Amino acid sequence: MSRSGARERSLRTGWPPKARSSRARSASLPSTPTGGYANAISATLKEADMVVDIFHVTKLASQALDEVRRRVQQDTLGRRGHAKDPLYRARRLLLTGANHLTEKMATKLDALLQEGDPNWEVTITWTVYQKLIDAYQQPDSHDMVTLIDALKDCPIPEVARLGRTLKSWKREILAYWHTDRSNAGPTEAINNVIETTRRIARGFRNFENYRLRILASASGQRPYRQPPKPVRKGQPNHAE
């Protein structure tokens, strides 16, 4: 059985009974763009609206951008990037949102791309990445639809592959606007609390104790968050 098939089977058999209620079937479910999760959701919660989370869509675009940068680096210099190579120096700036670039940062990025991107492949992929980020800031899905439809004709193979992936998940991506911008932020926040609790405990032998500790932590009762002790007068403060 493939990994996606095993994941789907485990999700379907382990789905909480409450998730099968009529209340849950009318909900929106943020998900990752993987077949296993999609099949499990469609088979178990047939009336739910599945939404591909904004983080995972943006991650796909940033991975395509990084792959193009690495390939162009190899094509132009015949080796991996070194500290003084222009594309290697631009790797962090490329993943920064255009609205967060200062004038100095934008000037530096432009100079590095002119030096290390002779065929404009990195520049074009960077533009696609920025357009995708900007599309999520718009009040409707028009810009996202236009972008997805245009990517399939891009001559850059990594961008064309990204376009095919986005097209295959187009309905679930556009559902972001149709479900009042549903995303996995709250779920990821709760999962972070669960993972922190598990790490601090070094494992639980009793699942019920584990469950109660998670519920207590998620409610804000986190005993491991101790307030700093006041420094007595004359006692050295090592934090200074």
Side-chain angles (χ1 to χ4, degrees):
M1 180 181 293
S2 64
R3 287 189 178 185
S4 60
R7 186 184 299 115
E8 174 190 350
R9 185 167 179 267
S10 64
L11 286 171
R12 291 179 61 178
T13 56
W15 208 275
K18 187 177 293 185
R20 300 189 183 98
S21 65
S22 59
R23 184 178 180 181
R25 286 198 299 269
S26 61
S28 58
L29 297 173
S31 177
T32 61
T34 54
Y37 288 106
N39 294 336
I41 291 173
S42 60
T44 310
L45 304 175
K46 299 180 186 295
E47 297 180 20
D49 294 323
M50 189 172 68
V51 185
V52 175
D53 191 60
I54 179 176
F55 168 80
H56 295 97
V57 177
T58 308
K59 183 66 174 178
L60 289 173
S62 66
Q63 287 176 342
L65 174 57
D66 199 53
E67 289 174 7
V68 173
R69 178 187 65 81
R70 291 169 184 265
R71 178 175 58 77
V72 172
Q73 170 79 35
Q74 287 282 354
D75 292 345
T76 54
L77 299 179
R79 55 173 171 78
R80 296 177 59 184
H82 292 179
K84 294 183 179 181
D85 294 337
L87 290 183
Y88 185 83
R89 292 169 58 195
R91 68 192 189 282
R92 302 298 183 194
L93 289 174
L94 287 170
L95 298 178
T96 304
N99 57 325
H100 296 298
L101 290 173
T102 63
E103 184 177 351
K104 182 179 179 181
M105 295 166 67
T107 302
K108 179 180 178 180
L109 178 60
D110 185 61
L112 292 173
L113 289 176
Q114 286 188 18
E115 183 180 354
D117 184 29
N119 297 323
W120 287 64
E121 290 184 277
V122 179
T123 304
I124 293 173
T125 310
W126 177 81
T127 303
V128 169
Y129 174 64
Q130 298 297 337
K131 283 183 176 294
L132 187 141
I133 294 176
D134 184 67
Y136 271 111
Q137 310 304 319
Q138 304 306 315
D140 55 57
S141 60
H142 177 267
D143 287 359
M144 182 62 76
V145 173
T146 303
L147 180 63
I148 293 176
D149 292 342
L151 291 184
K152 66 180 186 300
D153 298 323
C154 183
I156 302 173
E158 294 86 352
V159 177
R161 185 191 65 205
L162 173 65
R164 292 192 297 270
T165 302
L166 297 184
K167 185 178 180 180
S168 65
W169 291 90
K170 185 176 180 179
R171 179 178 178 276
E172 290 78 10
I173 292 173
L174 299 183
Y176 172 78
W177 285 271
H178 305 152
T179 57
D180 197 22
R181 297 178 181 270
S182 296
N183 64 83
T187 304
E188 294 292 344
I190 294 174
N191 183 65
N192 184 54
V193 172
I194 293 173
E195 290 299 308
T196 302
T197 303
R198 180 178 61 82
R199 287 194 296 269
I200 290 176
R202 301 293 193 276
F204 279 91
R205 296 183 179 181
N206 186 294
F207 178 77
E208 183 62 20
N209 292 341
Y210 183 33
R211 186 182 71 85
L212 292 175
R213 180 67 176 268
I214 290 172
L215 292 174
S217 298
S219 67
Q221 304 299 321
R222 305 179 193 177
Y224 54 82
R225 286 188 173 179
Q226 298 293 339
K229 296 180 180 180
V231 179
R232 291 180 297 181
K233 188 175 181 180
Q235 181 180 0
N237 185 357
H238 298 288
E240 295 180 352

